[in-house]
Amino acid sequence: MPTAPEPAADPHAWASQDARAAVEDYLEALSRGGYAPATRRLRAGLLGEFLDHALDAAGTVALSAGQLLDPDRASAWLEAAAAGETRRRNTLRGPDARASEESQRARAQSYNSLAAHLGAPHRLDVAPQGIGERLTPTEADRLLHTLAVKRPSGANAATSIRTAAVAALVARTGRTVPELHRLRTADIDLPRRLVHLDTGPEPLDARTAEILGRWLDVRGHITDRLEGSDPGHLWIPTKPGRPRDGARALKPGIARAAVRTLHAAHRNLVLQLLGRPVRPGALLPTD
């Protein structure tokens, strides 16, 4: 369980600190507090975006923390982000796509967390948690195609195809990742386009069957390197695990991939493609 980042050493001097140094100190505090790497990357990315926007708007190379956290600067940043003006890379929705409600919530939360760490008084309003973003059928199809066939720049091919297979199966069955976590390869019947769930067989559409076939081929290349029989887990790690307690790292394929591993891969790859994190459930058809 992560702990709240400890307040700055001198809460009365926060306003005169260099803004970039203040952000770096805050990120180090998150690391010491046990926050997950994905959370730290998200905070670093959004606060870096905030700092760059503030510096560009002020026409300067440095600001104090007090100047950075000025409410007017924060509001200008959120407005620019909402309009897609702060985007640093292209996405499947184009380089100028508007920011989603979830990414705006993450921006406000990042600002507030930094302000709390420094001891600054101002806080941004955080919109209530919504029901979750849903992609249109066209967007979902493009996302799955990119993950399975093209893959994001620099992404591990096997991880990208596995992520596409998990997302496609979530979208097709309406089940969550934890509910699909314990599937075995024997549960996938590609010739008849079926997946055998705990409630019985469910039909697969052609796209989902194709993506699952791609994953099973990649998975087969991974498990062929194992000594002994294939354990049969459908979702397996694509890279060796970390050595623990002096023991050698397990080869990928011996153990089942953890739910958090599947979620993290989806979050990181989709963030590259869409410019914002969306959950696997975002691919479910809209009502």
Side-chain angles (χ1 to χ4, degrees):
M1 175 71 72
T3 59
E6 68 272 18
D10 185 355
H12 300 292
W14 71 270
S16 60
Q17 277 186 273
D18 175 76
R20 193 176 302 278
V23 170
E24 291 175 354
D25 177 72
Y26 161 75
L27 295 173
E28 290 177 3
L30 288 185
S31 179
R32 293 192 298 271
Y35 280 72
T39 299
R40 302 200 304 268
R41 284 194 297 271
L42 179 63
R43 292 279 192 262
L46 294 179
L47 291 174
E49 176 192 276
F50 177 32
L51 181 58
D52 288 344
H53 180 268
L55 291 172
D56 287 344
T60 185
V61 296
L63 289 170
S64 68
Q67 291 171 322
L68 176 67
L69 294 181
D70 178 86
D72 289 338
R73 278 199 170 90
S75 296
W77 168 51
L78 292 181
E79 290 173 5
E85 297 172 3
T86 62
R87 197 173 298 285
R88 295 177 174 179
R89 55 175 175 256
N90 196 4
T91 73
L92 293 181
R93 284 183 171 174
D96 300 318
R98 292 181 61 84
S100 68
E101 291 182 5
E102 284 303 303
S103 65
Q104 289 293 79
R105 288 185 76 253
R107 285 181 174 88
Q109 290 169 337
S110 297
Y111 174 98
N112 290 347
S113 183
L114 173 63
H117 168 71
L118 292 176
H122 182 68
R123 299 291 185 274
L124 296 175
D125 292 333
V126 179
Q129 179 75 47
I131 60 173
E133 180 181 4
R134 292 288 180 87
L135 302 181
T136 67
T138 299
E139 289 173 329
D141 189 67
R142 289 175 63 193
L143 176 63
L144 291 175
H145 178 77
T146 303
L147 287 171
V149 179
K150 297 180 179 179
R151 80 174 184 267
S153 177
N156 176 278
T159 302
S160 187
I161 294 171
R162 185 191 65 193
T163 299
V166 173
L169 208 50
V170 167
R172 183 61 187 174
T173 64
R175 299 296 191 93
T176 65
V177 173
E179 289 174 326
L180 299 172
H181 176 236
R182 301 193 71 81
L183 284 176
R184 301 181 63 78
T185 55
D187 295 322
I188 305 299
D189 186 345
L190 290 182
R192 294 195 294 167
R193 286 194 194 168
L194 294 174
V195 55
H196 294 275
L197 303 174
D198 53 1
T199 54
E202 293 267 356
L204 299 172
D205 60 284
R207 168 53 63 84
T208 302
E210 176 192 357
I211 294 174
L212 281 168
R214 285 176 176 271
W215 165 240
L216 288 172
D217 286 343
V218 170
R219 183 193 176 283
H221 288 300
I222 295 173
T223 56
D224 283 347
R225 304 188 188 102
L226 296 177
E227 298 175 2
S229 59
D230 185 333
H233 313 306
L234 179 58
W235 313 119
I236 61 172
T238 57
K239 295 177 287 187
R242 296 178 181 177
R244 297 183 182 277
D245 300 325
R248 295 176 60 185
L250 291 177
K251 292 183 179 180
I254 294 177
R256 181 182 282 109
V259 171
R260 64 178 178 275
T261 298
L262 301 179
H263 272 303
H266 179 93
R267 180 174 56 248
N268 292 336
L269 292 176
V270 171
L271 180 62
Q272 290 186 52
L273 294 175
L274 295 181
R276 65 197 190 282
V278 296
R279 299 175 182 177
L283 281 75
L284 287 169
T286 54
D287 295 332

